[in-house]
């Protein structure tokens, strides 16, 4: 099976009441850890690359490594641009073999967001590439473009945005945020399921995306701290909330921080326990195992997409 776009994946996920994991890929060990877990559990997967990952690892290397995973596993795999910041970046990724792109116009005015997103859709669709847009602002990455705090998605805008742009899926802001420090200590984690329900009424059957959806495993944070790292007050989204979202219209759940935390925990542990070792294959191999185990855990306990690779 070649790389696929997200169309069929999302249709099946919506109808089946589960979500597809969208995992950020930055190097070979991360990619292999993700894909090994998906292979064992016969799960479809979205492998996503941010603009900065593309700068770090370079487009061709990432593309060909992902193609190796496609060849190796035969799984339905989509290669997706995460947080595309411009038409040009989306175009480069589409021209360079990606099957899905996100255009993140969430920091723009509604009209500017519609215009930019539609421009990307008009380029992507004739090339069989699916497009994710975003309405509302998460705290976190969008802060870099001068949004001091996030703002929830306004459900009233969703229908118009979807119909005017023709996007295939939409990221919404209902209380998740990027990174490992999503809530203040003592603060009760909360997601605005009322907004999600309202969105579902306005665009029935339409796939919704959750960014900033890492759960920040306390066990991994403890390992990092035990082996010399500093991660006080790291708090993520409770898994039961993500399961609830996956049973509703959320068809794509984005995970990056949990992979970073897992890999760091594995590598710190390995190096501390084996101070004489200096072969990168040893500690990166341990990092890869940690990635695999966190992805397995998510597929089985959060996403519900195990066994869904065959339809
Ligand atoms: O949402 C952002 C992702 O976690 C990617 O982060 O730009 O540091 O690769 P990055
Ligand atoms: P986390 O930082 O919660 O893993 O979110 C990642 C993400 O949304 C990538 O786009
Ligand atoms: Zn994101």
């Amino acid at each position: 099976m070649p790389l696929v776009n997200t169309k069929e994946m999302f249709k099946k996920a919506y109808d089946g009441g589960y979500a597809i994991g969208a995992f950020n890929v930055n190097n070979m060990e991360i990619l292999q850890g993700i894909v090994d877990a998906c292979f064992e559990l016969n799960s479809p997967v979205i492998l996503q690359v941010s603009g900065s990952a593309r700068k770090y690892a370079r487009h061709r290397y990432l593309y060909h490594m992902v193609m190796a995973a496609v060849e190796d596993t035969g799984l339905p795999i989509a290669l997706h641009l995460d947080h595309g910041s411009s038409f040009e970046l989306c175009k480069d990724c589409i021209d360079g073999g990606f099957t899905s792109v996100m255009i993140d116009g969430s920091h723009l005015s509604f009209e500017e967001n519609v215009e930019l997103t539609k421009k990307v859709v008009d380029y992507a669709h004739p090339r069989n590439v699916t497009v994710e847009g975003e309405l509302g602002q998460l705290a976190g990455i969008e802060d870099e473009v001068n949004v001091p705090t996030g703002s929830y998605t306004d459900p009233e805008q969703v229908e118009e945005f979807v119909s005017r742009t023709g996007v295939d899926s939409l990221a919404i802001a209902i209380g998740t945020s990027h990174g490992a420090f999503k809530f203040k200590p003592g603060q009760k984690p909360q997601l605005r399921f009322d907004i999600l329900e309202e969105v579902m009424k306005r665009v029935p059957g339409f796939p919704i995306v959750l960014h900033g959806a890492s759960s920040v495993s306390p066990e991994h944070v403890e390992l990092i701290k035990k082996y010399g790292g500093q991660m006080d007050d790291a708090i993520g989204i409770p898994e039961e909330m993500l399961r609830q979202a996956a049973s509703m219209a959320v068809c794509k759940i984005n995970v990056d921080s949990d992979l970073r935390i897992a890999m760091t925990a594995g590598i710190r542990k390995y190096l501390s326990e084996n101070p004489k070792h200096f072969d990168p294959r040893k500690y990166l191999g341990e990092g890869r195992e940690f990635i695999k185990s966190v992805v397995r855990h998510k597929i089985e306990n959060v996403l519900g997409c195990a066994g869904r690779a065959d339809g």
Side-chain angles (χ1 to χ4, degrees):
M1 177 183 286
L3 274 174
V4 297
N5 67 27
T6 57
K7 196 97 200 158
E8 274 299 295
M9 276 186 188
F10 287 167
K11 190 176 172 351
K12 288 178 186 161
Y14 200 105
D15 294 345
Y18 62 92
I20 311 286
F23 299 100
N24 285 70
V25 172
N26 296 282
N27 67 18
M28 185 189 77
E29 283 77 10
I30 294 173
L31 170 66
Q32 289 179 333
I34 298 165
V35 164
D36 288 353
C38 293
F39 185 69
E40 284 184 7
L41 296 172
N42 197 32
S43 169
V45 66
I46 297 168
L47 299 171
Q48 58 185 12
V49 170
S50 69
S52 47
R54 195 166 166 268
K55 277 199 192 116
Y56 172 78
R58 298 172 226 161
H59 186 106
R60 261 197 199 86
Y61 287 80
L62 289 167
Y63 175 78
H64 287 288
M65 283 195 299
V66 167
M67 290 311 290
V70 169
E71 246 178 67
D72 224 21
T73 63
L75 293 172
I77 296 179
L79 175 56
H80 174 79
L81 170 66
D82 189 27
H83 291 284
S85 54
S86 66
F87 172 79
E88 289 69 29
L89 176 55
C90 291
K91 180 179 180 300
D92 277 358
C93 288
I94 294 167
D95 294 347
F98 281 40
T99 51
S100 177
V101 293
M102 174 191 191
I103 177 68
D104 183 354
S106 60
H107 56 291
L108 301 172
S109 71
F110 182 79
E111 284 302 323
E112 288 168 334
N113 192 359
V114 167
E115 193 185 327
L116 176 61
T117 305
K118 184 171 176 352
K119 189 173 173 190
V120 173
V121 169
D122 287 346
Y123 189 78
H125 280 181
R127 293 162 179 83
N128 202 26
V129 170
T130 40
V131 180
E132 173 184 326
E134 180 166 345
L135 258 188
Q137 287 144 359
L138 277 69
I141 195 171
E142 286 90 0
D143 291 356
E144 288 167 21
V145 280
N146 292 330
V147 182
T149 53
S151 59
Y152 295 118
T153 301
D154 176 358
E156 287 194 12
Q157 293 185 329
V158 169
E159 195 178 348
E160 185 182 344
F161 188 82
V162 168
S163 70
R164 282 178 63 191
T165 58
V167 273
D168 302 281
S169 61
L170 186 69
I172 62 169
I174 57 167
T176 60
S177 65
H178 291 102
F181 304 90
K182 299 184 192 296
F183 301 98
K184 296 196 177 68
Q187 193 184 359
K188 192 165 170 270
Q190 265 183 334
L191 293 188
R192 291 285 305 273
F193 284 104
D194 58 318
I195 295 180
L196 179 56
E197 274 167 12
E198 200 52 46
V199 167
M200 289 171 73
K201 278 189 207 144
R202 285 161 199 262
V203 283
F206 187 79
I208 298 300
V209 177
L210 270 196
H211 282 247
S214 277
S215 291
V216 186
S217 148
E219 291 78 31
H220 287 168
V221 170
E222 278 316 303
L223 275 182
I224 288 176
K225 285 160 70 174
K226 177 173 173 192
Y227 293 109
Q230 294 178 355
M231 282 204 80
D232 281 344
D233 302 333
I235 303 172
I237 310 291
E239 291 184 344
E240 62 274 15
M241 290 187 188
L242 297 171
R243 271 200 300 276
Q244 187 180 338
S247 75
M248 298 167 73
V250 170
C251 295
K252 173 174 179 270
I253 292 189
N254 282 13
V255 175
D256 188 3
S257 298
D258 280 345
L259 304 182
R260 296 178 181 198
I261 292 168
M263 187 159 205
T264 302
I267 291 174
R268 276 194 179 276
K269 179 171 185 292
Y270 186 89
L271 288 174
S272 295
E273 288 174 350
N274 301 279
K276 293 189 176 159
H277 288 195
F278 55 90
D279 179 345
R281 291 172 297 187
K282 299 280 190 203
Y283 56 83
L284 291 176
E286 188 67 359
R288 180 171 61 187
E289 282 306 309
F290 269 64
I291 297 256
K292 180 177 169 185
S293 109
V294 80
V295 172
R296 266 196 80 103
H297 174 84
K298 282 191 186 286
I299 290 172
E300 291 188 304
N301 300 295
V302 179
L303 299 161
C305 54
R308 305 288 188 160
D310 308 317

